């Protein structure tokens, strides 16, 4: 079984393509002035010192039916953190201050009752974990004061039941993206949820963080895809009746969507599926600038057409994307369009695709064709691997995202970008890019990437300065602190401001289900 990297993105042995790495480093050498003196590789796993576990893990093992408890170094280090820049820079330097005391690999959901009972009785924090791809501190154990047990769910990875007539399936929460699609394919179905973390993240993690995939403009975010949910909490099981819609009380699945493990452990969900697409239509349009491209997107959506994929790269993002794909950059902002259908809906979707293309042309776009779309598609899943390469050269690189109304979109775009650039250029060289990743009738999301050359030993300090500047601007100018990454611990300051009128409800729910505050304490909001 392939092992995940403990100090980077992906599985061990997977890397960003070497030939493209050399080209990017050469560009950055001239732009940021990096040199061989900046090279700062990760420490080895053997160099990290771990304290002895502070829990009686052998007692817990005796209580479990089939699940296994590990205190091995690799398991404890891997499960100490997610995949944010802060996580990786600390891991690579070997300066993580605290590790989980044990990791339970759950192989029977009935064992979860024993795990939660053990944690309550022994005053141990329990952190649920799927793929561990959180980039906002959602699964970090470092700041938890009590002993910590990580509950890994990736062995709960089965599609339990499929209703092909109703197009639904009941799925265990630990299944990773590729495995889920592979199992559904046996029934002629697909979920069509593709976040950038698709290859490593899990259904339960998607729900816990309110994930959005790159087809979300048509199919919705993950909370729109779940019909029923099962959660094991310290006060028992919560499970709603599986029907398409109901007015029988509040919406249970959405009470747990975005809960990030603070209420209980998501074990199963009934998800809405789709027939496997057989036809795909895609292209890309270049617009004079980002604002013009965004206006074209608004016109498309207000024409009641919802392309599964509609993304807009601003001028700098378009330039970098062209560099990565080896294509010349001739200026402007790039709008990407992707449609898909089965055999029965092909004619309808083709008409939508043609009408959307007409709107783009009338709005000032130039059709670049399918190959430009395919270039971007290839880059999409490679980009996180590039971050590991840049970190080797002491470059701070990260992303953050928000969402707002169409009427505020360009204003927010500019204010956040200005704040980030000011934070970077006051100290060093770097850059900021942005793209629209998901569109709605009333607004859209903005997804920023930033990079900056840091001094050795001051990488995290620079990262936090940039991130705080961006988050302050988002909070001040009408954006949400997170559209789909979640809150975790990194966004908590701004989330508590945003949630202020909801905290009485959220804290009441937390205290009723988890009165001893064992479930991922410190995430989302403070008790």
């Amino acid at each position: 079984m392939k092992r995940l990297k403990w100090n980077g993105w992906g599985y061990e042995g997977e890397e960003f393509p070497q030939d493209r790495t050399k080209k990017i480093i050469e560009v950055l050498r001239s732009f940021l002035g990096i040199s061989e003196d900046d090279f700062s590789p990760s420490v080895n796993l053997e160099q990290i010192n771990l304290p002895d576990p502070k829990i009686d893990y052998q007692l817990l093992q005796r209580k479990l039916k089939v699940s296994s408890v590990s205190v091995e170094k690799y398991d404890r280090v891997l499960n100490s953190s997610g995949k944010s820049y802060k996580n990786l820079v600390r891991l690579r330097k070997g300066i993580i201050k605290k590790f989980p005391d044990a990791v339970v690999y759950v192989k029977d959901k009935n064992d979860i009752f024993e795990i939660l009972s053990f944690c309550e009785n022994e005053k141990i924090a329990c952190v649920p974990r799927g793929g561990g791809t959180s980039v906002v501190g959602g699964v970090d154990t470092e700041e938890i004061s009590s002993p910590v047990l990580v509950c890994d769910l990736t062995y709960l990875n089965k599609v339990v039941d499929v209703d092909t007539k109703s197009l639904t399936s009941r799925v265990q929460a630990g299944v990773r993206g590729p495995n889920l699609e592979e199992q559904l394919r046996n029934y002629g179905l697909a979920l069509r949820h593709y976040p950038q973390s698709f290859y490593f993240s899990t259904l339960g993690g998607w729900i816990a963080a309110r994930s959005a995939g790159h087809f979300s403009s048509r199919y919705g975010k993950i909370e729109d895809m779940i019909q029923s949910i099962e959660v094991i909490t310290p006060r028992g099981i919560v499970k709603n009746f599986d029907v398409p819609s109901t007015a029988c009380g509040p919406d249970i699945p959405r009470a747990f969507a975005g809960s990030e493990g603070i209420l209980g452990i998501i074990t199963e969900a009934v998800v809405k599926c789709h027939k496997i697409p057989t036809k795909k239509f895609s292209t890309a349009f270049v617009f004079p600038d980002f604002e013009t491209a965004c206006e074209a997107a608004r016109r498309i959506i207000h024409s009641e057409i919802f392309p599964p994929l509609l993304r807009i790269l601003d001028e700098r993002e378009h330039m970098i994307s062209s560099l990565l794909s080896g294509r010349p950059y001739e200026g402007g902002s790039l709008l990407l369009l992707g449609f898909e259908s089965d055999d029965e809906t092909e004619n309808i979707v083709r008409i939508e695709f043609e009408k959307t293309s007409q709107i783009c042309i009338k709005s000032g776009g130039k059709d670049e064709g399918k190959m430009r779309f395919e270039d971007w598609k290839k880059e999409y899943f490679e980009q996180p691997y590039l971050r590991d390469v840049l970190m080797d050269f002491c470059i701070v690189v990260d992303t953050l995202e928000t969402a707002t109304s169409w009427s505020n979109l360009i204003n927010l775009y500019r204010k956040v970008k200005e704040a980030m650039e000011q934070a970077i250029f006051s100290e060093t060289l770097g850059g900021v890019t942005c793209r629209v990743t998901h569109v709605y009738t009333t607004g859209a999301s903005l997804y920023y990437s930033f990079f900056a050359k840091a001094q050795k030993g001051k990488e995290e300090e620079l990262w936090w300065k940039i991130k705080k500047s961006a988050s302050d601007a988002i909070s001040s100018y009408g954006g949400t602190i997170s559209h789909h990454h979640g809150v975790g611990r990194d966004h908590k300051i701004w989330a508590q401001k945003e949630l202020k009128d909801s905290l009485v409800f959220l804290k009441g729910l937390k205290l009723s289900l988890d009165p001893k505050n064992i479930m991922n304490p410190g995430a989302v909001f403070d008790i």
Side-chain angles (χ1 to χ4, degrees):
M1 184 176 180
K2 293 190 291 186
R3 296 203 318 177
L4 290 168
K5 294 177 188 173
W6 61 271
N7 60 349
W9 187 261
Y11 292 111
E12 293 178 345
E14 295 179 341
E15 307 291 345
F16 193 76
Q18 287 294 317
D19 57 334
R20 293 167 64 199
T21 295
K22 292 179 181 178
K23 291 180 182 178
I24 292 166
I25 294 300
E26 284 305 312
V27 171
L28 291 175
R29 200 182 300 277
S30 59
F31 179 58
L32 297 181
I34 64 172
S35 68
E36 296 303 322
D37 293 337
D38 296 307
F39 187 68
S40 182
S42 171
V43 300
N44 296 320
L45 183 62
E46 293 73 24
Q47 294 174 270
I48 296 178
N49 295 316
L50 270 67
D52 292 333
K54 295 180 180 178
I55 66 174
D56 190 344
Y57 61 91
Q58 294 173 330
L59 172 62
L60 176 60
Q61 183 67 78
R62 291 194 294 270
K63 290 175 175 287
L64 302 179
K65 290 172 59 179
V66 295
S67 303
S68 59
V69 183
S70 173
V71 293
E72 295 297 317
K73 175 180 277 194
Y74 167 82
D75 294 316
R76 292 176 66 192
V77 173
L78 173 70
N79 286 276
S80 67
S81 311
K83 299 297 182 184
S84 75
Y85 177 84
K86 178 180 74 174
N87 296 149
L88 295 184
V89 78
R90 289 181 180 181
L91 284 167
R92 290 160 64 91
K93 290 176 178 293
I95 58 172
I96 291 283
K97 298 181 181 68
K98 184 174 179 179
F99 298 88
D101 294 277
V103 180
V104 180
Y105 291 95
V106 179
K107 298 172 184 175
D108 185 328
K109 69 181 181 182
N110 292 317
D111 281 342
I112 294 175
F113 293 101
E114 288 288 353
I115 293 166
L116 297 187
S117 175
F118 176 81
C119 287
E120 276 203 325
N121 292 337
E122 302 296 325
K123 297 182 174 60
I124 296 167
C126 179
V127 177
R129 187 180 174 101
T133 56
S134 172
V135 292
V136 293
V139 293
D140 296 1
T141 65
E142 190 169 14
E143 297 175 16
I144 300 174
S145 58
S146 64
V148 181
L149 183 75
V150 169
C151 193
D152 183 291
L153 301 173
T154 51
Y155 283 99
L156 297 182
N157 57 11
K158 301 293 189 296
V159 170
V160 179
D161 184 49
V162 176
D163 183 341
T164 55
K165 190 169 186 178
S166 303
L167 297 183
T168 62
S169 60
R170 184 159 62 94
V171 183
Q172 292 180 323
V175 66
R176 288 181 180 154
N179 191 1
L180 173 58
E181 291 295 334
E182 181 182 359
Q183 292 183 68
L184 289 176
R185 194 176 299 118
N186 295 327
Y187 300 90
L189 299 178
L191 184 62
R192 306 306 288 161
H193 184 72
Y194 289 94
Q196 198 167 38
S197 61
F198 171 76
Y199 288 99
F200 315 106
S201 53
T202 64
L203 173 63
W206 299 342
I207 297 170
R210 295 183 72 172
S211 165
H214 68 231
F215 291 148
S216 296
S217 294
R218 170 62 68 92
Y219 301 123
K221 293 175 65 188
I222 193 65
E223 64 263 33
D224 303 308
M225 299 179 173
I226 53 176
Q227 184 164 290
S228 175
I229 196 169
E230 178 184 272
V231 185
I232 297 176
T233 80
R235 286 299 165 267
I237 194 165
V238 178
K239 186 176 182 179
N240 68 299
F241 195 52
D242 178 20
V243 289
S245 186
T246 177
C248 187
D251 193 329
I252 301 301
R254 280 156 192 79
F256 289 95
S259 60
E260 300 191 43
I262 67 171
L263 302 177
I265 298 177
I266 299 168
T267 54
E268 285 185 357
V270 174
V271 295
K272 304 170 189 177
C273 300
H274 306 274
K275 295 178 182 177
I276 296 175
T278 55
K279 307 289 182 180
K280 296 184 179 181
F281 312 89
S282 59
T283 191
F285 286 87
V286 172
F287 287 83
D289 52 53
F290 186 63
E291 185 172 357
T292 306
C294 289
E295 179 59 19
R298 187 189 67 81
R299 290 174 182 170
I300 292 166
I301 298 304
H302 286 180
S303 298
E304 298 296 321
I305 300 174
F306 293 89
L309 189 146
L310 196 166
R311 294 201 164 204
I312 305 168
L313 315 187
D314 76 354
E315 292 86 341
R316 177 155 292 198
E317 178 102 0
H318 182 199
M319 180 184 71
I320 292 175
S321 178
S322 299
L323 171 67
L324 291 174
S325 63
R327 291 184 178 272
Y329 173 67
E330 298 177 353
S333 177
L334 188 71
L335 186 150
L336 299 155
L337 283 174
F339 286 80
E340 57 187 30
S341 73
D342 55 38
D343 292 338
E344 294 177 0
T345 60
E346 178 181 355
N347 291 336
I348 297 171
V349 173
R350 189 181 294 276
I351 291 170
E352 286 187 335
F353 177 70
E354 291 172 353
K355 185 176 180 181
T356 301
S357 297
Q358 291 170 7
I359 292 171
C360 287
I361 292 170
K362 288 179 181 178
S363 299
K366 176 186 175 184
D367 196 340
E368 292 287 294
K370 184 177 180 179
M371 285 306 299
R372 190 64 191 87
F373 178 93
E374 293 299 323
D375 288 342
W376 168 83
K377 186 177 175 182
K378 181 181 179 182
E379 297 161 17
Y380 180 72
F381 291 114
E382 288 183 346
Q383 288 171 359
Y385 293 96
L386 176 58
R387 179 178 62 169
D388 293 352
V389 174
L390 299 181
M391 288 181 70
D392 281 343
F393 286 89
C394 214
I395 296 173
V396 173
V397 56
D398 205 358
T399 63
L400 53 92
E401 38 72 43
T402 182
T404 192
S405 63
W406 286 115
S407 58
N408 187 45
L409 189 73
I410 297 302
N411 179 58
L412 183 65
Y413 161 71
R414 290 173 177 159
K415 293 294 186 182
V416 175
K417 187 177 181 184
E418 287 170 5
M420 295 169 75
E421 289 177 339
Q422 184 176 358
I424 292 170
F425 297 141
S426 65
E427 290 197 20
T428 184
L429 298 173
V432 178
T433 72
C434 185
R435 57 189 180 266
V436 166
T437 55
H438 307 86
V439 291
Y440 305 89
T441 302
T442 57
S445 66
L446 294 167
Y447 192 107
Y448 294 88
S449 299
F450 63 89
F451 58 95
K453 181 181 178 182
Q455 295 181 39
K456 278 187 180 181
K458 294 188 176 181
E459 298 93 338
E460 188 177 333
E461 182 180 321
L462 177 60
W463 167 81
W464 178 245
K465 180 178 181 179
I466 301 167
K467 188 173 180 69
K468 184 179 184 301
S469 297
S471 300
D472 285 344
I474 287 169
S475 184
S476 297
Y477 293 103
T480 177
I481 196 59
S482 178
H483 171 259
H484 60 269
H485 282 168
V487 174
R489 292 165 176 83
D490 296 347
H491 289 166
K492 189 166 57 174
I493 300 169
W494 301 277
Q496 292 190 145
K497 293 179 184 178
E498 187 174 324
L499 294 169
K500 62 180 180 180
D501 296 325
S502 307
L503 285 175
V504 63
F505 166 73
L506 296 173
K507 288 184 178 181
L509 190 58
K510 167 74 170 172
L511 292 171
S512 67
L513 296 176
D514 180 26
K516 296 188 178 181
N517 193 26
I518 65 165
M519 299 305 308
N520 204 11
V524 186
F525 56 81
D526 292 319
I527 294 296

